[in-house]
Short mmCIF file of all heavy atoms in Angstrom, two decimals:
data_model
loop_
_atom_site.label_atom_id
_atom_site.label_comp_id
_atom_site.label_asym_id
_atom_site.label_seq_id
_atom_site.Cartn_x
_atom_site.Cartn_y
_atom_site.Cartn_z
N ARG A 1 -19.64 -9.88 -1.79
CA ARG A 1 -20.84 -9.81 -0.96
C ARG A 1 -21.44 -8.50 -1.14
O ARG A 1 -21.02 -7.49 -1.23
CB ARG A 1 -20.38 -9.86 0.48
CG ARG A 1 -21.52 -9.84 1.52
CD ARG A 1 -21.20 -9.92 3.00
NE ARG A 1 -20.23 -9.02 3.44
CZ ARG A 1 -20.52 -7.75 3.97
NH1 ARG A 1 -21.90 -7.35 4.08
NH2 ARG A 1 -19.60 -6.99 4.28
N PHE A 2 -22.85 -8.62 -1.34
CA PHE A 2 -23.72 -7.48 -1.50
C PHE A 2 -24.50 -7.24 -0.18
O PHE A 2 -24.94 -8.37 0.33
CB PHE A 2 -24.73 -7.61 -2.60
CG PHE A 2 -24.07 -7.74 -3.96
CD1 PHE A 2 -23.94 -9.03 -4.56
CD2 PHE A 2 -23.69 -6.59 -4.71
CE1 PHE A 2 -23.37 -9.15 -5.82
CE2 PHE A 2 -23.18 -6.72 -6.00
CZ PHE A 2 -22.92 -8.03 -6.57
N ALA A 3 -24.61 -6.13 0.44
CA ALA A 3 -25.47 -5.87 1.56
C ALA A 3 -26.44 -4.72 1.09
O ALA A 3 -25.95 -3.64 0.79
CB ALA A 3 -24.70 -5.38 2.71
N THR A 4 -27.72 -5.04 1.19
CA THR A 4 -28.72 -3.99 0.90
C THR A 4 -29.10 -3.21 2.16
O THR A 4 -28.86 -3.84 3.19
CB THR A 4 -29.88 -4.69 0.08
OG1 THR A 4 -30.43 -5.53 1.05
CG2 THR A 4 -29.47 -5.22 -1.15
N GLY A 5 -29.60 -2.09 2.01
CA GLY A 5 -30.03 -1.32 3.20
C GLY A 5 -28.88 -0.69 3.93
O GLY A 5 -29.04 -0.46 5.12
N ALA A 6 -27.77 -0.64 3.37
CA ALA A 6 -26.56 -0.11 4.07
C ALA A 6 -26.66 1.37 4.24
O ALA A 6 -27.30 2.14 3.45
CB ALA A 6 -25.28 -0.50 3.29
N ASP A 7 -25.93 1.87 5.33
CA ASP A 7 -25.96 3.30 5.55
C ASP A 7 -24.57 3.59 6.21
O ASP A 7 -23.88 2.66 6.51
CB ASP A 7 -27.04 3.78 6.48
CG ASP A 7 -27.24 3.22 7.81
OD1 ASP A 7 -26.30 2.55 8.25
OD2 ASP A 7 -28.32 3.28 8.44
N ALA A 8 -24.24 4.82 6.57
CA ALA A 8 -23.01 5.07 7.17
C ALA A 8 -22.73 4.31 8.47
O ALA A 8 -21.67 3.95 8.70
CB ALA A 8 -22.89 6.71 7.38
N ALA A 9 -23.77 4.26 9.28
CA ALA A 9 -23.62 3.56 10.60
C ALA A 9 -23.28 2.05 10.36
O ALA A 9 -22.36 1.57 11.04
CB ALA A 9 -24.78 3.87 11.43
N SER A 10 -24.02 1.35 9.58
CA SER A 10 -23.86 0.00 9.35
C SER A 10 -22.52 -0.27 8.68
O SER A 10 -21.76 -1.27 8.93
CB SER A 10 -25.03 -0.64 8.59
OG SER A 10 -25.07 -0.18 7.22
N PHE A 11 -22.05 0.70 7.69
CA PHE A 11 -20.77 0.51 7.12
C PHE A 11 -19.64 0.60 8.21
O PHE A 11 -18.67 -0.18 8.14
CB PHE A 11 -20.66 1.48 6.01
CG PHE A 11 -19.44 1.28 5.07
CD1 PHE A 11 -19.57 0.32 4.12
CD2 PHE A 11 -18.31 1.93 5.21
CE1 PHE A 11 -18.44 0.11 3.27
CE2 PHE A 11 -17.25 1.71 4.43
CZ PHE A 11 -17.30 0.88 3.42
N ALA A 12 -19.84 1.65 9.06
CA ALA A 12 -18.76 1.84 10.14
C ALA A 12 -18.66 0.63 10.96
O ALA A 12 -17.64 0.14 11.44
CB ALA A 12 -19.05 3.09 10.93
N LYS A 13 -19.84 -0.05 11.33
CA LYS A 13 -19.90 -1.22 12.18
C LYS A 13 -19.21 -2.30 11.45
O LYS A 13 -18.48 -3.04 12.10
CB LYS A 13 -21.34 -1.55 12.60
CG LYS A 13 -21.40 -2.60 13.58
CD LYS A 13 -22.81 -2.83 14.11
CE LYS A 13 -22.68 -3.85 15.29
NZ LYS A 13 -23.91 -3.80 16.02
N GLY A 14 -19.48 -2.49 10.24
CA GLY A 14 -18.79 -3.56 9.38
C GLY A 14 -17.26 -3.37 9.33
O GLY A 14 -16.52 -4.23 9.52
N LYS A 15 -16.87 -2.11 9.21
CA LYS A 15 -15.46 -1.79 9.26
C LYS A 15 -14.85 -2.13 10.55
O LYS A 15 -13.65 -2.75 10.59
CB LYS A 15 -15.28 -0.40 8.89
CG LYS A 15 -13.69 0.14 8.92
CD LYS A 15 -13.70 1.58 8.53
CE LYS A 15 -12.32 2.10 8.63
NZ LYS A 15 -12.20 3.50 8.39
N GLU A 16 -15.51 -1.81 11.54
CA GLU A 16 -15.07 -2.09 12.98
C GLU A 16 -14.89 -3.63 13.24
O GLU A 16 -13.89 -4.12 13.68
CB GLU A 16 -15.92 -1.50 13.89
CG GLU A 16 -15.52 -1.77 15.35
CD GLU A 16 -16.54 -1.08 16.36
OE1 GLU A 16 -16.93 0.12 16.16
OE2 GLU A 16 -16.90 -1.73 17.28
N GLY A 17 -15.90 -4.39 12.84
CA GLY A 17 -15.82 -5.86 12.82
C GLY A 17 -14.79 -6.46 11.99
O GLY A 17 -14.09 -7.45 12.30
N PHE A 18 -14.54 -5.80 10.87
CA PHE A 18 -13.47 -6.34 9.97
C PHE A 18 -12.17 -6.32 10.61
O PHE A 18 -11.37 -7.07 10.57
CB PHE A 18 -13.51 -5.39 8.73
CG PHE A 18 -12.48 -5.79 7.63
CD1 PHE A 18 -12.79 -6.71 6.72
CD2 PHE A 18 -11.34 -5.12 7.49
CE1 PHE A 18 -11.85 -7.05 5.75
CE2 PHE A 18 -10.41 -5.48 6.58
CZ PHE A 18 -10.70 -6.47 5.69
N GLY A 19 -11.82 -5.11 11.31
CA GLY A 19 -10.64 -4.95 12.03
C GLY A 19 -10.42 -5.85 13.06
O GLY A 19 -9.28 -6.41 13.41
N SER A 20 -11.47 -6.37 13.86
CA SER A 20 -11.38 -7.29 14.82
C SER A 20 -11.03 -8.75 14.26
O SER A 20 -10.76 -9.61 15.12
CB SER A 20 -12.71 -7.31 15.65
OG SER A 20 -13.71 -7.90 15.02
N GLY A 21 -11.26 -9.00 13.03
CA GLY A 21 -10.89 -10.21 12.53
C GLY A 21 -9.38 -10.49 12.11
O GLY A 21 -9.01 -11.44 11.45
N GLY A 22 -8.59 -9.64 12.56
CA GLY A 22 -7.19 -9.74 12.40
C GLY A 22 -6.62 -8.94 11.26
O GLY A 22 -5.42 -8.86 11.02
N GLN A 23 -7.45 -8.31 10.53
CA GLN A 23 -7.00 -7.37 9.59
C GLN A 23 -7.11 -5.89 9.89
O GLN A 23 -8.04 -5.53 10.70
CB GLN A 23 -7.92 -7.50 8.22
CG GLN A 23 -7.88 -8.97 7.69
CD GLN A 23 -8.64 -9.03 6.44
OE1 GLN A 23 -8.44 -8.30 5.46
NE2 GLN A 23 -9.57 -9.99 6.27
N ARG A 24 -6.24 -5.08 9.41
CA ARG A 24 -6.32 -3.67 9.74
C ARG A 24 -7.04 -2.94 8.60
O ARG A 24 -6.61 -3.05 7.39
CB ARG A 24 -5.02 -3.13 9.88
CG ARG A 24 -4.95 -1.52 10.19
CD ARG A 24 -3.60 -1.06 10.44
NE ARG A 24 -3.14 -1.71 11.76
CZ ARG A 24 -2.94 -0.99 12.88
NH1 ARG A 24 -3.01 0.29 12.73
NH2 ARG A 24 -2.60 -1.64 13.86
N ALA A 25 -8.11 -2.32 8.81
CA ALA A 25 -8.86 -1.64 7.87
C ALA A 25 -8.26 -0.23 7.57
O ALA A 25 -7.99 0.49 8.48
CB ALA A 25 -10.31 -1.45 8.26
N LYS A 26 -8.19 0.09 6.37
CA LYS A 26 -7.46 1.36 5.96
C LYS A 26 -8.54 2.08 4.97
O LYS A 26 -8.98 1.52 4.01
CB LYS A 26 -6.14 1.15 5.24
CG LYS A 26 -5.54 2.42 4.69
CD LYS A 26 -4.21 2.05 3.93
CE LYS A 26 -3.70 3.40 3.43
NZ LYS A 26 -2.50 3.10 2.59
N ASP A 27 -8.83 3.25 5.38
CA ASP A 27 -9.79 4.02 4.59
C ASP A 27 -9.32 4.27 3.18
O ASP A 27 -8.10 4.41 2.96
CB ASP A 27 -10.07 5.48 5.25
CG ASP A 27 -10.99 5.34 6.41
OD1 ASP A 27 -11.78 4.47 6.47
OD2 ASP A 27 -10.82 6.24 7.40
N LEU A 28 -10.28 4.27 2.27
CA LEU A 28 -10.02 4.55 0.87
C LEU A 28 -10.85 5.77 0.39
O LEU A 28 -11.96 5.68 -0.11
CB LEU A 28 -10.40 3.35 0.02
CG LEU A 28 -10.06 3.40 -1.52
CD1 LEU A 28 -8.58 3.62 -1.79
CD2 LEU A 28 -10.51 2.06 -2.22
N PRO A 29 -10.32 6.96 0.78
CA PRO A 29 -11.08 8.15 0.51
C PRO A 29 -11.33 8.45 -1.13
O PRO A 29 -10.58 8.00 -1.79
CB PRO A 29 -10.28 9.30 1.04
CG PRO A 29 -8.94 8.74 1.40
CD PRO A 29 -9.08 7.20 1.21
N GLY A 30 -12.56 8.94 -1.30
CA GLY A 30 -12.87 9.37 -2.79
C GLY A 30 -13.34 8.23 -3.54
O GLY A 30 -13.62 8.45 -4.71
N PHE A 31 -13.49 7.00 -2.96
CA PHE A 31 -14.01 5.89 -3.71
C PHE A 31 -15.49 5.63 -3.29
O PHE A 31 -15.71 5.20 -2.17
CB PHE A 31 -13.21 4.67 -3.50
CG PHE A 31 -13.39 3.51 -4.42
CD1 PHE A 31 -13.10 3.67 -5.80
CD2 PHE A 31 -13.89 2.31 -4.02
CE1 PHE A 31 -13.45 2.59 -6.68
CE2 PHE A 31 -14.15 1.25 -4.80
CZ PHE A 31 -13.97 1.43 -6.12
N PHE A 32 -16.43 6.04 -4.16
CA PHE A 32 -17.76 5.99 -3.90
C PHE A 32 -18.15 6.76 -2.53
O PHE A 32 -17.41 7.63 -2.22
CB PHE A 32 -18.34 4.52 -3.85
CG PHE A 32 -18.23 3.90 -5.36
CD1 PHE A 32 -17.21 3.08 -5.61
CD2 PHE A 32 -19.22 4.37 -6.25
CE1 PHE A 32 -17.09 2.63 -6.91
CE2 PHE A 32 -19.08 3.77 -7.52
CZ PHE A 32 -18.12 2.92 -7.91
N ASP A 33 -19.18 6.43 -1.94
CA ASP A 33 -19.63 7.16 -0.74
C ASP A 33 -18.57 7.07 0.40
O ASP A 33 -18.30 7.97 1.12
CB ASP A 33 -21.06 6.82 -0.18
CG ASP A 33 -22.13 7.13 -1.17
OD1 ASP A 33 -21.88 7.90 -2.11
OD2 ASP A 33 -23.25 6.59 -1.15
N GLU A 34 -18.19 5.79 0.56
CA GLU A 34 -17.05 5.41 1.53
C GLU A 34 -16.56 4.15 1.25
O GLU A 34 -17.22 3.32 0.65
CB GLU A 34 -17.59 5.61 3.01
CG GLU A 34 -18.77 4.70 3.40
CD GLU A 34 -19.49 5.13 4.71
OE1 GLU A 34 -18.56 5.48 5.58
OE2 GLU A 34 -20.51 4.99 4.85
N ALA A 35 -15.29 3.91 1.57
CA ALA A 35 -14.71 2.60 1.30
C ALA A 35 -13.46 2.36 2.20
O ALA A 35 -12.93 3.29 2.72
CB ALA A 35 -14.21 2.59 -0.20
N TYR A 36 -13.12 1.05 2.30
CA TYR A 36 -11.92 0.77 3.05
C TYR A 36 -11.40 -0.54 2.42
O TYR A 36 -11.98 -1.26 1.77
CB TYR A 36 -12.22 0.54 4.62
CG TYR A 36 -13.10 -0.56 4.93
CD1 TYR A 36 -12.64 -1.82 5.11
CD2 TYR A 36 -14.51 -0.20 5.10
CE1 TYR A 36 -13.53 -2.84 5.54
CE2 TYR A 36 -15.28 -1.27 5.58
CZ TYR A 36 -14.88 -2.59 5.77
OH TYR A 36 -15.78 -3.55 6.05
N THR A 37 -10.08 -0.79 2.79
CA THR A 37 -9.36 -1.94 2.42
C THR A 37 -8.71 -2.61 3.54
O THR A 37 -8.54 -2.05 4.67
CB THR A 37 -8.25 -1.65 1.36
OG1 THR A 37 -7.15 -0.77 1.93
CG2 THR A 37 -8.76 -0.94 0.03
N GLY A 38 -8.38 -3.87 3.25
CA GLY A 38 -7.57 -4.71 4.23
C GLY A 38 -6.94 -5.90 3.60
O GLY A 38 -7.33 -6.32 2.62
N SER A 39 -5.76 -6.26 4.28
CA SER A 39 -5.07 -7.48 3.79
C SER A 39 -4.85 -8.45 4.81
O SER A 39 -4.66 -8.02 6.02
CB SER A 39 -3.79 -7.13 3.08
OG SER A 39 -3.90 -6.24 2.04
N LEU A 40 -4.80 -9.70 4.46
CA LEU A 40 -4.51 -10.87 5.42
C LEU A 40 -3.51 -11.70 4.83
O LEU A 40 -3.72 -12.15 3.74
CB LEU A 40 -5.73 -11.46 5.86
CG LEU A 40 -5.68 -12.50 6.93
CD1 LEU A 40 -5.32 -11.91 8.27
CD2 LEU A 40 -7.06 -13.20 7.12
N GLY A 41 -2.53 -12.09 5.63
CA GLY A 41 -1.56 -13.05 5.13
C GLY A 41 -0.27 -12.49 4.70
O GLY A 41 -0.06 -11.19 4.83
N THR A 42 0.75 -13.28 4.36
CA THR A 42 2.00 -12.63 3.99
C THR A 42 2.55 -13.43 2.84
O THR A 42 2.10 -14.65 2.50
CB THR A 42 3.06 -12.82 5.12
OG1 THR A 42 3.08 -14.11 5.49
CG2 THR A 42 2.62 -11.97 6.31
N GLY A 43 3.56 -13.04 2.05
CA GLY A 43 4.19 -13.73 1.19
C GLY A 43 3.32 -14.12 -0.05
O GLY A 43 2.57 -13.25 -0.52
N GLU A 44 3.29 -15.41 -0.43
CA GLU A 44 2.56 -15.79 -1.60
C GLU A 44 1.14 -16.00 -1.17
O GLU A 44 0.19 -16.00 -2.04
CB GLU A 44 3.10 -17.26 -1.99
CG GLU A 44 4.48 -17.14 -2.61
CD GLU A 44 5.02 -18.51 -3.12
OE1 GLU A 44 4.14 -19.36 -3.47
OE2 GLU A 44 6.16 -18.64 -3.16
N VAL A 45 0.78 -16.03 0.04
CA VAL A 45 -0.64 -16.25 0.41
C VAL A 45 -1.11 -14.89 1.10
O VAL A 45 -1.09 -14.65 2.26
CB VAL A 45 -0.75 -17.40 1.56
CG1 VAL A 45 -2.24 -17.68 1.85
CG2 VAL A 45 -0.08 -18.70 1.04
N LEU A 46 -1.69 -14.10 0.16
CA LEU A 46 -2.16 -12.75 0.57
C LEU A 46 -3.51 -12.64 0.06
O LEU A 46 -3.85 -12.83 -1.18
CB LEU A 46 -1.37 -11.67 0.09
CG LEU A 46 -1.67 -10.23 0.47
CD1 LEU A 46 -1.51 -10.04 2.04
CD2 LEU A 46 -0.84 -9.26 -0.29
N VAL A 47 -4.45 -12.25 0.87
CA VAL A 47 -5.86 -12.08 0.64
C VAL A 47 -6.16 -10.53 0.82
O VAL A 47 -5.97 -10.11 1.92
CB VAL A 47 -6.79 -12.99 1.18
CG1 VAL A 47 -8.27 -12.75 0.95
CG2 VAL A 47 -6.55 -14.44 0.92
N ASN A 48 -6.72 -9.95 -0.20
CA ASN A 48 -7.13 -8.53 -0.04
C ASN A 48 -8.63 -8.41 0.10
O ASN A 48 -9.32 -9.16 -0.61
CB ASN A 48 -6.58 -7.66 -1.25
CG ASN A 48 -5.12 -7.58 -1.20
OD1 ASN A 48 -4.45 -7.34 -0.16
ND2 ASN A 48 -4.46 -7.77 -2.42
#
């Protein structure tokens, strides 16, 4: 997914919404301006 017109505030809001979807967002410092990761599922069915 590409989002144009992003800024720090919209990125933070997306991260917050991401966490409410059942995934825990974890910051990924030093990767571009800002970044985070998250995983959903267990065992063989894991989506990052």
Side-chain angles (χ1 to χ4, degrees):
R1 181 178 56 91
F2 296 98
T4 60
D7 59 18
S10 65
F11 192 78
K13 187 170 184 163
K15 179 181 171 186
E16 181 181 310
F18 182 83
S20 69
Q23 298 187 52
R24 180 174 293 247
K26 180 180 176 188
D27 287 329
L28 184 61
F31 192 65
F32 292 101
D33 293 346
E34 53 189 330
Y36 63 87
T37 62
S39 297
L40 184 63
T42 59
E44 292 181 25
V45 185
L46 183 65
V47 176
N48 292 315

